[in-house]
Amino acid sequence: MSTSVPANQGLAFQRCLEPDCGTTYDVGEVRTSCGDCGGLLDVVYDWDRLPVPKSLREFEQKWARRNEPLCRSGVWRFHELLPFAPPEKIVTIGEGQTMLQPSAGVAEYVGLNPGGLFLEYEGLNPSGSFKDNGMTAAFTHAHTIGAKRAACASTGNTSASLALYCGVSKLMQAVIFIGSGKISYGKLSQSLDYGALTIQIAGDFDDAMHRVRQVSEQLGIYLVNSVNPFRLEGQKTIMYRVLESLDWQPPDWIVVPGGNLGNSSAFGKAFMELHELGLIDRIPRLAVINAVGANTLHELYEVRGNRWNDGKVDHQAATEYYAELDASGRRASTIASAIEINRPVDYQKCLRALHVCDGVVREVNDEQILNAKARVGENGLGCEPASAASVAGTKLLREEGVIAPSDRVVCILTGHQLKDPTATIAYHTTDQEEFNRVLGSRGVKRAEFANRAVAVPNDLDEIVRAIQLNS
Ligand SMILES: *Cc1c(COP(=O)(O)O)cnc(C)c1O
Ligand SMILES: [Zn+2]
């Protein structure tokens, strides 16, 4: 295998996802949608003329060259599978050095055989969430075309990631749009600390998303939101690393929380391409898990039966549903703030992923999410609330019998435990008022696995007695 991918002029394109359109654009063109029909753009490659490995095992050769940044990165050591930029333009900060952790404790909780459940711990990324996988790719594209400013709307993790890449590289200024009161302190503190220009809008994520598109258009700022097709290229590598950790044997299921649906879309694209390239012979099934309070995908896919349909997606179904949401004044609402999104921008690509991976969609409520999160934490790898939707969803699919006890299941833990301490503290608190304020208001009744602090007077005997009583 060649050590690096050459500058790929003419071998990578952007292509409109609409089958009746399919207009292609140069990889160096900056677009957020198709100029002909407004459709989503997809990155496509002329694989026949690119140096594609014959076997996924060939990537193992890069492990011996870990001192080279592009081999160390968990994204760019798979450069041959996302060859849209020349190596000298790549901006990497060591993203994607994550791990797949088997968890017998979580397996037991969800009802899988011991050894059947794996947690792909993306909280280990430099900014603490999987978003770095996509940001290194979008940032690289932005750098390739000479951008000086980059913007995003975010529930927090995308902005933290963009701010970090700008802070480390000093190649661009980060402009971050957030909604009011919806961002966790852990995430907001990152953007501020990394020096990003932070614009707080009086509105929610969907409002911020709408405005950032207008503003970046007007001011010519590079947009790194999920509509950016290059981010998904980077996020494909999460699946490559899962395969790598399983000695290249695909698991039975990948379970992932669904917000804007970039991750699930990227996973589907990864498996679609690996299969087309003859690098895997079996595609895992995909389960995308919504929060009940932000369940657009569940409603459209499972309830109303909207499908990929060879790319001829019934857009009217989504338009009608959004009109219903507006008419009833319903806003996205869940403790899992990273998936608190009602208008997922990558909806159409996610339908393709569900098609490719014979997927299912489920919804779980905030109580299920937080109980699952506590179980994940207790077994040693904490995560933020949105991430735990994958574990809660796995439990539900086991109860339904959709996932078998003997299946091998990979849950994506999308973000680090320290991203959202407010939810964690409220879950474990002894203060009923605090519990009600943060969680009770969201319909959470019982913190099944709360680990409550033991209050004792400042007295040696009392302290000793408390320890003896509780151990
Ligand atoms: C962004 C994010 C999600 C949602 O991912 P999508 O690609 O938007 O569906 C889930 N969990 C965490 C921690 C996130 O940061
Ligand atoms: Zn088009």
Side-chain angles (χ1 to χ4, degrees):
M1 177 156 58
S2 66
T3 53
S4 60
V5 178
N8 288 319
Q9 277 90 7
L11 300 180
F13 313 87
Q14 304 177 76
R15 187 171 68 200
C16 175
L17 202 62
E18 292 298 332
D20 295 338
C21 175
T23 303
T24 59
Y25 301 92
D26 189 88
V27 77
E29 210 171 308
V30 182
R31 307 202 63 94
T32 54
S33 59
C34 174
D36 288 338
C37 76
L40 284 176
L41 295 176
D42 210 18
V43 179
V44 292
Y45 303 99
D46 188 351
W47 295 114
D48 292 341
R49 296 164 58 213
L50 282 160
V52 182
K54 297 202 173 30
S55 148
L56 287 171
R57 280 204 188 280
E58 288 184 28
F59 286 107
E60 293 174 11
Q61 294 165 17
K62 303 219 181 165
W63 299 347
R65 294 172 25 216
R66 279 199 312 270
N67 56 331
E68 298 170 31
L70 298 194
C71 292
R72 176 178 293 258
S73 163
V75 172
W76 298 107
R77 73 167 169 269
F78 299 103
H79 191 189
E80 286 77 1
L81 297 174
L82 54 149
F84 65 83
E88 67 275 10
K89 289 287 186 189
I90 290 173
V91 185
T92 173
I93 60 171
E95 58 289 319
Q97 297 181 62
T98 58
M99 64 178 183
L100 189 74
Q101 181 86 4
S103 178
V106 177
E108 189 189 352
Y109 174 61
V110 299
L112 284 167
N113 293 346
L117 186 108
F118 302 84
L119 301 171
E120 173 68 11
Y121 189 48
E122 290 296 313
L124 286 178
N125 275 291
S127 81
S129 85
F130 80 82
K131 296 296 199 300
D132 295 346
N133 292 283
M135 196 55 66
T136 185
F139 203 85
T140 290
H141 183 250
H143 179 46
T144 310
I145 59 102
K148 289 286 164 268
R149 282 187 296 193
C152 68
S154 177
T155 60
N157 282 334
T158 300
S159 52
S161 183
L162 174 62
L164 183 53
Y165 277 84
C166 288
V168 172
S169 71
K170 297 286 180 267
L171 290 168
M172 278 165 243
Q173 183 190 27
V175 185
I176 277 150
F177 285 62
I178 56 173
S180 292
K182 291 286 189 184
I183 186 169
S184 79
Y185 265 24
K187 300 173 190 181
L188 179 58
S189 69
Q190 287 181 286
S191 291
L192 297 174
D193 213 28
Y194 301 146
L197 171 58
T198 306
I199 312 280
Q200 191 152 18
I201 294 176
D204 67 5
F205 172 81
D206 295 319
D207 298 320
M209 183 68 221
H210 179 64
R211 292 298 180 198
V212 78
R213 289 182 93 146
Q214 292 179 315
V215 170
S216 40
E217 175 93 41
Q218 192 171 330
L219 297 179
I221 303 176
Y222 188 93
L223 191 65
V224 298
N225 267 97
S226 303
V227 280
N228 181 307
F230 296 95
R231 268 181 61 194
L232 304 199
E233 292 307 292
Q235 288 169 209
K236 292 190 305 192
T237 66
I238 301 171
M239 291 301 103
Y240 306 153
R241 296 197 300 275
V242 164
L243 292 174
E244 183 178 53
S245 303
L246 294 172
D247 201 27
W248 311 109
Q249 298 300 310
D252 296 302
W253 287 91
I254 302 287
V255 190
V256 61
N260 251 327
L261 307 177
N263 231 8
S264 44
S265 298
F267 297 174
K269 188 170 190 281
F271 289 121
M272 181 177 80
E273 291 172 347
L274 290 179
H275 196 254
E276 281 169 9
L277 291 169
L279 292 170
I280 52 170
D281 46 24
R282 195 170 59 79
I283 295 178
R285 295 190 70 186
L286 178 68
V288 186
I289 313 300
N290 272 166
V292 167
N295 59 353
T296 294
L297 181 67
H298 182 263
E299 176 68 25
L300 291 176
Y301 183 79
E302 294 288 350
V303 181
R304 305 191 184 191
N306 207 5
R307 288 292 184 275
W308 169 241
N309 195 21
D310 285 330
K312 296 195 177 65
V313 170
D314 173 11
H315 294 298
Q316 197 54 34
T319 310
E320 273 167 26
Y321 180 60
Y322 297 153
E324 286 170 36
L325 287 179
D326 287 343
S328 62
R330 208 178 124 201
R331 290 280 178 168
S333 173
T334 167
I335 191 77
S337 57
I339 54 173
E340 191 175 41
I341 294 167
N342 265 348
R343 286 169 162 73
V345 297
D346 281 321
Y347 169 65
Q348 195 179 350
K349 287 184 181 173
C350 182
L351 290 183
R352 178 175 69 184
L354 290 164
H355 169 75
V356 167
C357 302
D358 187 16
V360 299
V361 181
R362 290 294 182 272
E363 53 178 357
V364 290
N365 66 31
D366 284 5
E367 184 168 307
Q368 291 169 301
I369 288 174
L370 290 176
N371 286 330
K373 174 174 138 28
R375 275 286 134 135
V376 171
E378 196 192 312
N379 284 282
L381 288 176
C383 64
E384 66 170 279
S387 313
S390 62
V391 172
T394 302
K395 186 172 190 299
L396 179 64
L397 288 163
R398 260 302 297 125
E399 284 160 7
E400 291 178 2
V402 176
I403 293 180
S406 58
D407 281 349
R408 297 210 311 166
V409 179
V410 174
C411 290
I412 313 300
L413 294 188
T414 46
H416 198 281
Q417 197 258 0
L418 296 175
K419 286 280 191 176
D420 191 358
T422 312
T424 308
I425 296 289
Y427 183 86
H428 294 293
T429 189
T430 49
D431 179 347
Q432 194 61 40
E433 232 170 85
E434 172 73 358
F435 182 91
N436 287 342
R437 189 181 62 81
V438 182
L439 304 178
S441 60
R442 298 185 175 276
V444 179
K445 290 190 196 68
R446 208 160 75 85
E448 202 179 336
F449 309 110
N451 177 25
R452 302 213 160 80
V454 181
V456 284
N458 185 9
D459 175 285
L460 182 58
D461 291 342
E462 295 272 9
I463 294 169
V464 167
R465 185 156 359 144
I467 292 171
Q468 281 167 340
L469 268 174
N470 286 284
S471 46

